[in-house]
Amino acid sequence: MAETVIVRGEGLTVDLLLWRKYGVKGRALVEATFALNAGLAALGPVLPLGTSVTLADLPAAPKVNERLAISLFD
């Protein structure tokens, strides 16, 4: 479930908010967060104090037993 946070510190970026929430970085996660928040990119790289940001959810983790197999002969 997506969580909405309010920016309460200076110098915060979307990437940093996601890192603090999930402990991971990823372009897809940042892009998903921008997609959830219309007009957020127009605020610039550093988010203004008091900005409300809905954070994207982490994508589902692959199952441990599933392995990606690539064949050179297909």
Side-chain angles (χ1 to χ4, degrees):
M1 178 178 228
E3 177 183 350
T4 300
V5 297
I6 306 294
V7 176
R8 300 192 191 278
E10 294 182 9
L12 293 176
T13 62
V14 171
D15 191 41
L16 184 57
L17 286 176
L18 292 166
W19 171 258
R20 288 183 178 177
K21 171 70 177 166
Y22 300 119
V24 297
K25 289 187 176 191
R27 179 177 165 184
L29 194 56
V30 172
E31 289 175 354
T33 298
F34 279 118
L36 287 173
N37 298 275
L40 187 62
L43 298 177
V46 177
L47 300 171
L49 290 171
T51 302
S52 177
V53 180
T54 302
L55 302 177
D57 292 327
L58 280 175
K63 295 181 182 178
V64 176
N65 293 336
E66 290 183 11
R67 297 184 80 189
L68 176 62
I70 300 173
S71 173
L72 297 176
F73 304 104
D74 286 338

